[in-house]
PDB file of all heavy atoms in Angstrom:
ATOM      1  N   GLU A 424      -3.491  20.923  34.614  1.00 92.00           N
ATOM      2  CA  GLU A 424      -3.294  19.529  34.996  1.00 92.00           C
ATOM      3  C   GLU A 424      -1.943  19.126  34.866  1.00 92.00           C
ATOM      4  O   GLU A 424      -1.107  19.797  34.139  1.00 92.00           O
ATOM      5  CB  GLU A 424      -4.245  18.588  34.236  1.00 92.00           C
ATOM      6  CG  GLU A 424      -4.036  18.690  32.718  1.00 92.00           C
ATOM      7  CD  GLU A 424      -4.984  17.852  31.904  1.00 92.00           C
ATOM      8  OE1 GLU A 424      -6.238  17.983  32.085  1.00 92.00           O
ATOM      9  OE2 GLU A 424      -4.510  17.009  31.137  1.00 92.00           O
ATOM     10  N   PRO A 425      -1.440  18.102  35.608  1.00 90.00           N
ATOM     11  CA  PRO A 425      -2.266  17.246  36.544  1.00 90.00           C
ATOM     12  C   PRO A 425      -2.541  17.922  37.892  1.00 90.00           C
ATOM     13  O   PRO A 425      -1.922  18.972  38.213  1.00 90.00           O
ATOM     14  CB  PRO A 425      -1.312  16.049  36.760  1.00 90.00           C
ATOM     15  CG  PRO A 425       0.108  16.578  36.593  1.00 90.00           C
ATOM     16  CD  PRO A 425      -0.041  17.648  35.518  1.00 90.00           C
ATOM     17  N   ALA A 426      -3.452  17.352  38.628  1.00 91.00           N
ATOM     18  CA  ALA A 426      -3.895  17.940  39.858  1.00 91.00           C
ATOM     19  C   ALA A 426      -2.782  18.065  40.960  1.00 91.00           C
ATOM     20  O   ALA A 426      -2.705  19.077  41.614  1.00 91.00           O
ATOM     21  CB  ALA A 426      -5.046  17.139  40.434  1.00 91.00           C
ATOM     22  N   GLU A 427      -1.882  17.081  40.972  1.00 90.00           N
ATOM     23  CA  GLU A 427      -0.799  17.123  41.980  1.00 90.00           C
ATOM     24  C   GLU A 427       0.142  18.333  41.688  1.00 90.00           C
ATOM     25  O   GLU A 427       0.622  18.944  42.631  1.00 90.00           O
ATOM     26  CB  GLU A 427      -0.068  15.833  42.093  1.00 90.00           C
ATOM     27  CG  GLU A 427       0.706  15.395  40.799  1.00 90.00           C
ATOM     28  CD  GLU A 427      -0.093  14.458  39.929  1.00 90.00           C
ATOM     29  OE1 GLU A 427      -1.348  14.501  39.988  1.00 90.00           O
ATOM     30  OE2 GLU A 427       0.532  13.764  39.158  1.00 90.00           O
ATOM     31  N   LEU A 428       0.382  18.591  40.482  1.00 89.00           N
ATOM     32  CA  LEU A 428       1.280  19.691  40.078  1.00 89.00           C
ATOM     33  C   LEU A 428       0.552  20.999  40.480  1.00 89.00           C
ATOM     34  O   LEU A 428       1.214  21.915  41.047  1.00 89.00           O
ATOM     35  CB  LEU A 428       1.633  19.704  38.617  1.00 89.00           C
ATOM     36  CG  LEU A 428       2.475  20.872  38.087  1.00 89.00           C
ATOM     37  CD1 LEU A 428       3.790  20.964  38.758  1.00 89.00           C
ATOM     38  CD2 LEU A 428       2.573  20.843  36.572  1.00 89.00           C
ATOM     39  N   ARG A 429      -0.712  21.180  40.202  1.00 91.00           N
ATOM     40  CA  ARG A 429      -1.454  22.320  40.566  1.00 91.00           C
ATOM     41  C   ARG A 429      -1.391  22.578  42.086  1.00 91.00           C
ATOM     42  O   ARG A 429      -1.165  23.679  42.590  1.00 91.00           O
ATOM     43  CB  ARG A 429      -2.859  22.160  40.094  1.00 91.00           C
ATOM     44  CG  ARG A 429      -3.710  23.489  40.406  1.00 91.00           C
ATOM     45  CD  ARG A 429      -5.179  23.244  39.977  1.00 91.00           C
ATOM     46  NE  ARG A 429      -5.984  24.359  40.305  1.00 91.00           N
ATOM     47  CZ  ARG A 429      -6.239  25.424  39.523  1.00 91.00           C
ATOM     48  NH1 ARG A 429      -5.564  25.494  38.362  1.00 91.00           N
ATOM     49  NH2 ARG A 429      -6.971  26.428  39.903  1.00 91.00           N
ATOM     50  N   ALA A 430      -1.578  21.471  42.882  1.00 90.00           N
ATOM     51  CA  ALA A 430      -1.482  21.573  44.339  1.00 90.00           C
ATOM     52  C   ALA A 430      -0.154  21.982  44.847  1.00 90.00           C
ATOM     53  O   ALA A 430      -0.043  22.775  45.745  1.00 90.00           O
ATOM     54  CB  ALA A 430      -1.953  20.172  44.925  1.00 90.00           C
ATOM     55  N   ASP A 431       0.900  21.429  44.202  1.00 87.00           N
ATOM     56  CA  ASP A 431       2.260  21.795  44.622  1.00 87.00           C
ATOM     57  C   ASP A 431       2.521  23.268  44.359  1.00 87.00           C
ATOM     58  O   ASP A 431       3.184  23.973  45.194  1.00 87.00           O
ATOM     59  CB  ASP A 431       3.296  20.927  43.868  1.00 87.00           C
ATOM     60  CG  ASP A 431       3.309  19.511  44.376  1.00 87.00           C
ATOM     61  OD1 ASP A 431       2.761  19.224  45.393  1.00 87.00           O
ATOM     62  OD2 ASP A 431       3.786  18.655  43.564  1.00 87.00           O
ATOM     63  N   VAL A 432       2.062  23.774  43.213  1.00 88.00           N
ATOM     64  CA  VAL A 432       2.274  25.224  42.912  1.00 88.00           C
ATOM     65  C   VAL A 432       1.534  26.087  43.893  1.00 88.00           C
ATOM     66  O   VAL A 432       1.998  27.113  44.376  1.00 88.00           O
ATOM     67  CB  VAL A 432       1.882  25.527  41.446  1.00 88.00           C
ATOM     68  CG1 VAL A 432       1.858  27.009  41.175  1.00 88.00           C
ATOM     69  CG2 VAL A 432       2.808  24.828  40.465  1.00 88.00           C
ATOM     70  N   VAL A 433       0.332  25.685  44.209  1.00 89.00           N
ATOM     71  CA  VAL A 433      -0.492  26.451  45.171  1.00 89.00           C
ATOM     72  C   VAL A 433       0.207  26.525  46.515  1.00 89.00           C
ATOM     73  O   VAL A 433       0.236  27.537  47.220  1.00 89.00           O
ATOM     74  CB  VAL A 433      -1.966  25.894  45.271  1.00 89.00           C
ATOM     75  CG1 VAL A 433      -2.649  26.522  46.419  1.00 89.00           C
ATOM     76  CG2 VAL A 433      -2.632  26.162  43.975  1.00 89.00           C
ATOM     77  N   ASP A 434       0.717  25.346  46.962  1.00 85.00           N
ATOM     78  CA  ASP A 434       1.438  25.347  48.279  1.00 85.00           C
ATOM     79  C   ASP A 434       2.654  26.209  48.274  1.00 85.00           C
ATOM     80  O   ASP A 434       2.895  26.941  49.260  1.00 85.00           O
ATOM     81  CB  ASP A 434       1.870  23.888  48.558  1.00 85.00           C
ATOM     82  CG  ASP A 434       0.665  22.966  48.907  1.00 85.00           C
ATOM     83  OD1 ASP A 434      -0.386  23.524  49.241  1.00 85.00           O
ATOM     84  OD2 ASP A 434       0.821  21.704  48.838  1.00 85.00           O
ATOM     85  N   ARG A 435       3.403  26.299  47.241  1.00 82.00           N
ATOM     86  CA  ARG A 435       4.558  27.136  47.136  1.00 82.00           C
ATOM     87  C   ARG A 435       4.139  28.617  47.149  1.00 82.00           C
ATOM     88  O   ARG A 435       4.758  29.430  47.818  1.00 82.00           O
ATOM     89  CB  ARG A 435       5.341  26.841  45.860  1.00 82.00           C
ATOM     90  CG  ARG A 435       6.128  25.475  45.956  1.00 82.00           C
ATOM     91  CD  ARG A 435       6.954  25.274  44.686  1.00 82.00           C
ATOM     92  NE  ARG A 435       7.725  24.074  44.756  1.00 82.00           N
ATOM     93  CZ  ARG A 435       8.950  23.891  45.352  1.00 82.00           C
ATOM     94  NH1 ARG A 435       9.496  25.027  45.819  1.00 82.00           N
ATOM     95  NH2 ARG A 435       9.584  22.781  45.362  1.00 82.00           N
ATOM     96  N   LEU A 436       3.073  28.927  46.445  1.00 83.00           N
ATOM     97  CA  LEU A 436       2.661  30.365  46.420  1.00 83.00           C
ATOM     98  C   LEU A 436       2.185  30.791  47.849  1.00 83.00           C
ATOM     99  O   LEU A 436       2.415  31.857  48.219  1.00 83.00           O
ATOM    100  CB  LEU A 436       1.515  30.485  45.363  1.00 83.00           C
ATOM    101  CG  LEU A 436       1.985  30.450  43.907  1.00 83.00           C
ATOM    102  CD1 LEU A 436       0.742  30.402  43.006  1.00 83.00           C
ATOM    103  CD2 LEU A 436       2.952  31.601  43.513  1.00 83.00           C
ATOM    104  N   ARG A 437       1.454  29.879  48.515  1.00 83.00           N
ATOM    105  CA  ARG A 437       1.054  30.171  49.814  1.00 83.00           C
ATOM    106  C   ARG A 437       2.278  30.413  50.816  1.00 83.00           C
ATOM    107  O   ARG A 437       2.211  31.304  51.644  1.00 83.00           O
ATOM    108  CB  ARG A 437       0.199  29.068  50.376  1.00 83.00           C
ATOM    109  CG  ARG A 437      -1.277  29.127  49.793  1.00 83.00           C
ATOM    110  CD  ARG A 437      -2.058  27.916  50.176  1.00 83.00           C
ATOM    111  NE  ARG A 437      -3.462  27.997  49.709  1.00 83.00           N
ATOM    112  CZ  ARG A 437      -4.271  26.998  49.643  1.00 83.00           C
ATOM    113  NH1 ARG A 437      -3.924  25.799  50.127  1.00 83.00           N
ATOM    114  NH2 ARG A 437      -5.467  27.109  49.175  1.00 83.00           N
ATOM    115  N   ALA A 438       3.267  29.612  50.634  1.00 77.00           N
ATOM    116  CA  ALA A 438       4.478  29.726  51.423  1.00 77.00           C
ATOM    117  C   ALA A 438       5.211  31.054  51.157  1.00 77.00           C
ATOM    118  O   ALA A 438       5.648  31.749  52.106  1.00 77.00           O
ATOM    119  CB  ALA A 438       5.464  28.573  51.221  1.00 77.00           C
ATOM    120  N   VAL A 439       5.227  31.473  49.961  1.00 74.00           N
ATOM    121  CA  VAL A 439       5.814  32.745  49.559  1.00 74.00           C
ATOM    122  C   VAL A 439       4.998  33.888  50.146  1.00 74.00           C
ATOM    123  O   VAL A 439       5.518  34.870  50.686  1.00 74.00           O
ATOM    124  CB  VAL A 439       5.926  32.874  48.029  1.00 74.00           C
ATOM    125  CG1 VAL A 439       6.303  34.310  47.680  1.00 74.00           C
ATOM    126  CG2 VAL A 439       6.890  31.862  47.469  1.00 74.00           C
ATOM    127  N   ALA A 440       3.685  33.743  50.141  1.00 75.00           N
ATOM    128  CA  ALA A 440       2.794  34.829  50.628  1.00 75.00           C
ATOM    129  C   ALA A 440       2.968  34.996  52.128  1.00 75.00           C
ATOM    130  O   ALA A 440       2.850  36.106  52.669  1.00 75.00           O
ATOM    131  CB  ALA A 440       1.309  34.513  50.260  1.00 75.00           C
ATOM    132  N   LYS A 441       3.187  33.926  52.839  1.00 72.00           N
ATOM    133  CA  LYS A 441       3.409  33.988  54.301  1.00 72.00           C
ATOM    134  C   LYS A 441       4.769  34.561  54.691  1.00 72.00           C
ATOM    135  O   LYS A 441       5.015  34.924  55.749  1.00 72.00           O
ATOM    136  CB  LYS A 441       3.345  32.537  54.859  1.00 72.00           C
ATOM    137  CG  LYS A 441       1.935  31.991  54.827  1.00 72.00           C
ATOM    138  CD  LYS A 441       1.907  30.550  55.466  1.00 72.00           C
ATOM    139  CE  LYS A 441       0.566  29.978  55.375  1.00 72.00           C
ATOM    140  NZ  LYS A 441       0.511  28.566  55.958  1.00 72.00           N
ATOM    141  N   GLY A 442       5.608  34.777  53.652  1.00 61.00           N
ATOM    142  CA  GLY A 442       6.965  35.399  53.920  1.00 61.00           C
ATOM    143  C   GLY A 442       7.993  34.351  54.397  1.00 61.00           C
ATOM    144  O   GLY A 442       8.987  34.814  54.912  1.00 61.00           O
TER     145      GLY A 442
END
Side-chain angles (χ1 to χ4, degrees):
E424 57 183 56
E427 64 267 22
L428 176 60
R429 182 182 177 89
D431 290 340
V432 170
V433 170
D434 288 344
R435 286 182 179 273
L436 289 173
R437 285 174 176 165
V439 171
K441 291 179 181 178

